[in-house]
Amino acid sequence: MHKITTAKLKEMKKNKQKITLLSAYDYLTARLAESAGIEGILVGDSLGMVVLGYENTLPVTMEEMLHHTKAVSRGAKLPLIIADMPFLSYQADLKDALYNAGKLIKEGGAQAVKLEGGREIQETITKMVSSGMPVMGHLGLTPQSIHQLGGYKIQGKNQKEAQKIIDEAKILEESGIFSLILECVPRELAKTIAESLSIPVIGIGAGEFCDGQIQVFHDLVGLCGEFTPKHAKRYLNLSSEIKNALIKYKEEVAQGTFPQKENSF
Ligand code: KIV
């Protein structure tokens, strides 16, 4: 198996091969993703909500992203590793944006970064790409703008909103992104965009016509309690399996049936 590159993902789109990406945040999950043949791991800023217990993704810091990007890149060598740029690490200042993206690649071991937004980050993307840093775009539901969007809602439902996303997808492609994430948009809109761009369009809640899919690891394996977002599929119910194991462990310690001789030295 060879290292997955941005060029490989583009080739997969050309050959009509679907791409599978996963949001993951640690060494062990990265190893599992690699062993399952997943093409790319996004160290998403969903880290904030899934692992760090924040209410949304806004509080996530560069230090936290760097810490988890390092862990993922230690765990997986073959998948393309993409690090999310956290809120305010790229919006306020071009120089800071370049420095922070560089840090995630140079120190974190990522091979690409992801930024949320459209025409307002065009210059930033162009500069990153011309400095040799592959950039993934993210349109539709962009969680870092949650307060402006007024909640986690489907985007691009009316003609005006849909056209804006189509136009911004084109702008991002022209700015040099190697791939685009479309989050929570109607499937027909995602189809139009995937067909009109030459780069891979990866969907989450964007339907089956995308060139690939991305999901959050914890949603797929049922590690987020009872709630599963509509766009995800729960392949396992790990929360309850783990809880049952921990209850059993506690019972056995309390009853003195663990450890046994074979667990001792
Ligand atoms: O942070 C994240 O995991 C993401 C994906 C859901 C696309 O941005």
Side-chain angles (χ1 to χ4, degrees):
M1 269 283 278
H2 294 291
K3 172 79 187 167
I4 304 289
T5 60
T6 58
K8 173 70 184 171
L9 298 190
K10 287 185 189 166
E11 185 191 312
M12 287 179 74
K13 167 160 180 148
K14 218 166 139 207
N15 296 337
K16 298 195 183 327
Q17 290 173 282
K18 295 277 189 184
I19 298 163
T20 314
L21 304 187
L22 185 73
S23 278
Y25 323 98
D26 63 73
Y27 170 80
L28 190 63
T29 315
R31 281 183 57 168
L32 289 169
E34 177 172 76
S35 68
I38 300 282
E39 276 98 19
I41 302 177
L42 170 71
V43 189
D45 63 353
S46 49
L47 162 80
M49 296 169 80
V50 176
V51 173
L52 302 178
Y54 298 144
E55 196 180 327
N56 53 47
T57 59
L58 300 183
V60 177
T61 64
M62 266 300 295
E63 289 66 33
E64 287 161 345
M65 287 308 304
L66 197 55
H67 179 75
H68 286 269
T69 303
K70 284 181 185 174
V72 166
S73 57
R74 282 193 291 269
K77 303 296 171 207
L78 298 180
L80 181 76
I81 295 171
I82 307 145
D84 230 348
M85 296 204 64
F87 181 56
L88 278 193
S89 69
Y90 60 96
Q91 292 95 336
D93 180 82
L94 182 58
K95 212 167 139 198
D96 279 354
L98 287 172
Y99 177 73
N100 286 328
K103 245 183 146 174
L104 290 166
I105 292 174
K106 186 172 173 171
E107 293 175 33
Q111 290 88 50
V113 292
K114 175 169 84 60
L115 278 66
E116 294 182 10
R119 67 180 78 235
E120 73 285 1
I121 54 165
Q122 195 178 355
E123 191 192 349
T124 308
I125 293 174
T126 308
K127 194 78 187 142
M128 285 176 182
V129 174
S130 65
S131 308
M133 297 186 271
V135 176
M136 175 177 245
H138 185 159
L139 290 172
L141 172 53
T142 46
Q144 290 178 15
S145 307
I146 186 67
H147 297 311
Q148 200 167 50
L149 299 176
Y152 296 99
K153 298 175 188 161
I154 307 296
Q155 301 297 306
K157 272 178 32 182
N158 62 50
Q159 185 55 40
K160 193 170 161 219
E161 267 186 21
Q163 193 57 50
K164 181 167 183 265
I165 298 174
I166 293 172
D167 294 344
E168 298 211 303
K170 258 277 164 255
I171 289 173
L172 293 184
E173 182 177 45
E174 283 161 13
S175 307
I177 59 169
F178 72 89
S179 175
L180 173 69
I181 289 204
L182 275 184
E183 180 165 352
C184 292
V185 300
R187 50 204 276 285
E188 289 298 335
L189 172 59
K191 181 172 192 266
T192 304
I193 295 172
E195 285 173 359
S196 69
L197 300 189
S198 62
I199 53 167
V201 172
I202 309 296
I204 173 162
E208 73 276 28
F209 303 116
C210 293
D211 304 303
Q213 301 293 325
I214 182 161
Q215 288 288 326
V216 169
F217 170 76
H218 294 62
D219 289 334
L220 296 180
V221 299
L223 262 178
C224 283
E226 286 313 303
F227 176 71
T228 307
K230 179 174 161 65
H231 60 67
K233 178 171 170 184
R234 188 179 276 209
Y235 290 87
L236 274 177
N237 196 352
L238 266 193
S239 277
S240 66
E241 297 240 354
I242 292 174
K243 185 177 157 198
N244 289 340
L246 295 179
I247 289 171
K248 194 134 184 50
Y249 165 59
K250 188 194 174 332
E251 271 171 15
E252 291 189 5
V253 171
Q255 290 161 2
T257 54
F258 175 84
Q260 298 275 310
K261 267 207 191 109
E262 65 262 29
N263 311 112
S264 308
F265 303 96

Coordinates of all heavy atoms in Angstrom, one line a residue, residues 23-25 42-47 57 84 114 116 138 143 181 183 204 214-216 231, ligand 1:
S23 N -13.4 11.5 10.4 CA -12.9 12.4 11.5 C -12.5 11.6 12.7 O -13.3 10.8 13.2 CB -14.1 13.3 11.9 OG -14.2 14.4 11.0
A24 N -11.2 11.7 13.1 CA -10.7 11.0 14.2 C -9.7 11.8 14.9 O -9.1 12.8 14.3 CB -10.1 9.7 13.8
Y25 N -9.4 11.5 16.1 CA -8.6 12.5 17.0 C -7.5 11.9 17.8 O -6.9 12.6 18.5 CB -9.6 13.2 17.9 CG -11.0 13.4 17.4 CD1 -12.0 12.6 17.6 CD2 -11.1 14.5 16.5 CE1 -13.3 12.8 17.0 CE2 -12.4 14.8 15.9 CZ -13.4 13.9 16.2 OH -14.7 14.2 15.6
L42 N -9.4 13.2 8.8 CA -9.5 14.6 9.2 C -9.5 14.7 10.7 O -10.3 14.1 11.4 CB -10.9 15.2 8.7 CG -11.2 16.6 9.2 CD1 -10.3 17.6 8.6 CD2 -12.6 17.0 9.0
V43 N -8.5 15.4 11.2 CA -8.5 15.7 12.6 C -9.4 16.9 12.7 O -8.9 18.1 12.6 CB -7.0 16.0 13.2 CG1 -7.1 16.1 14.7 CG2 -6.1 14.9 12.7
G44 N -10.7 16.7 12.9 CA -11.7 17.7 12.8 C -11.7 18.5 14.1 O -11.4 18.0 15.2
D45 N -12.2 19.8 14.0 CA -12.3 20.6 15.2 C -13.6 20.1 15.9 O -13.9 20.6 17.0 CB -12.3 22.1 14.9 CG -13.5 22.6 14.0 OD1 -14.2 21.7 13.5 OD2 -13.6 23.8 13.9
S46 N -14.3 19.1 15.3 CA -15.4 18.5 16.1 C -14.8 17.8 17.3 O -15.6 17.5 18.3 CB -16.1 17.4 15.2 OG -15.2 16.6 14.6
L47 N -13.5 17.7 17.3 CA -12.8 17.3 18.6 C -13.3 18.0 19.8 O -13.5 17.4 20.9 CB -11.3 17.7 18.4 CG -10.4 17.8 19.6 CD1 -9.9 16.4 20.0 CD2 -9.2 18.7 19.3
T57 N -17.8 24.1 18.4 CA -16.4 24.0 18.0 C -15.6 25.3 18.2 O -14.4 25.3 18.1 CB -16.2 23.6 16.5 OG1 -16.9 24.6 15.7 CG2 -16.9 22.2 16.2
D84 N -7.9 20.2 10.8 CA -8.8 21.4 10.7 C -8.1 22.6 11.4 O -7.5 22.5 12.4 CB -10.0 21.0 11.6 CG -11.3 21.2 10.8 OD1 -11.3 21.9 9.8 OD2 -12.3 20.7 11.4
K114 N -7.7 22.1 6.6 CA -9.0 22.4 6.1 C -9.5 23.7 6.8 O -9.3 24.0 8.0 CB -10.0 21.3 6.5 CG -11.5 21.7 6.2 CD -12.4 20.5 6.3 CE -12.9 20.2 7.7 NZ -13.7 21.3 8.3
E116 N -12.9 26.5 6.9 CA -14.3 26.7 6.6 C -14.5 28.1 6.0 O -13.9 29.1 6.4 CB -15.2 26.7 7.9 CG -15.2 25.4 8.6 CD -16.1 25.3 9.8 OE1 -16.8 26.3 10.1 OE2 -16.0 24.3 10.5
H138 N -14.5 23.9 2.9 CA -15.7 23.4 3.7 C -16.8 24.4 3.5 O -16.7 25.5 4.0 CB -15.3 23.2 5.1 CG -16.3 22.6 6.0 ND1 -16.0 22.0 7.2 CD2 -17.7 22.5 5.9 CE1 -17.1 21.5 7.8 NE2 -18.1 21.8 7.0
P143 N -19.8 24.8 10.9 CA -20.0 25.0 12.4 C -19.4 26.1 13.1 O -19.8 26.6 14.1 CB -19.6 23.6 12.9 CG -19.7 22.7 11.8 CD -19.3 23.5 10.6
I181 N -15.3 19.9 1.2 CA -16.3 19.2 2.0 C -17.6 20.0 1.9 O -17.6 21.2 2.0 CB -15.9 19.1 3.5 CG1 -14.8 18.0 3.6 CG2 -17.1 18.7 4.4 CD1 -14.6 17.4 4.9
E183 N -21.2 20.1 3.8 CA -21.9 19.6 5.0 C -23.4 20.0 5.0 O -23.7 21.2 4.8 CB -21.2 20.1 6.2 CG -21.9 19.6 7.5 CD -21.0 19.8 8.8 OE1 -19.8 20.2 8.7 OE2 -21.5 19.5 9.9
I204 N -21.0 15.2 3.9 CA -21.5 14.7 5.2 C -22.9 15.3 5.3 O -23.1 16.5 5.3 CB -20.5 15.1 6.4 CG1 -21.2 14.7 7.7 CG2 -20.1 16.6 6.4 CD1 -20.2 14.7 8.9
I214 N -17.5 11.6 4.4 CA -16.8 11.7 5.7 C -17.8 11.6 6.8 O -18.9 12.1 6.7 CB -16.0 13.0 5.8 CG1 -15.2 13.1 7.1 CG2 -16.8 14.3 5.7 CD1 -14.0 14.0 7.1
Q215 N -17.4 10.9 7.9 CA -18.3 10.8 9.1 C -17.4 10.9 10.3 O -16.2 10.6 10.2 CB -19.0 9.5 9.1 CG -20.1 9.4 8.1 CD -21.4 10.2 8.4 OE1 -21.7 10.4 9.6 NE2 -22.0 10.8 7.4
V216 N -18.0 11.2 11.4 CA -17.2 11.3 12.7 C -17.2 9.9 13.3 O -18.2 9.2 13.4 CB -18.0 12.3 13.6 CG1 -17.4 12.2 15.0 CG2 -17.8 13.7 13.1
H231 N -27.5 12.3 9.3 CA -26.6 11.9 8.2 C -25.7 10.8 8.5 O -25.0 10.3 7.6 CB -25.8 13.2 7.9 CG -24.9 13.7 9.0 ND1 -23.9 13.0 9.5 CD2 -25.0 14.8 9.7 CE1 -23.3 13.7 10.4 NE2 -24.0 14.8 10.6
Ligands
KIV1 O1 -14.7 18.8 12.4 C1 -15.1 17.9 11.7 O2 -15.1 16.7 12.0 C2 -15.6 18.3 10.4 C3 -16.3 17.2 9.6 C4 -17.6 16.8 10.2 C5 -16.5 17.5 8.2 O3 -15.5 19.4 10.0

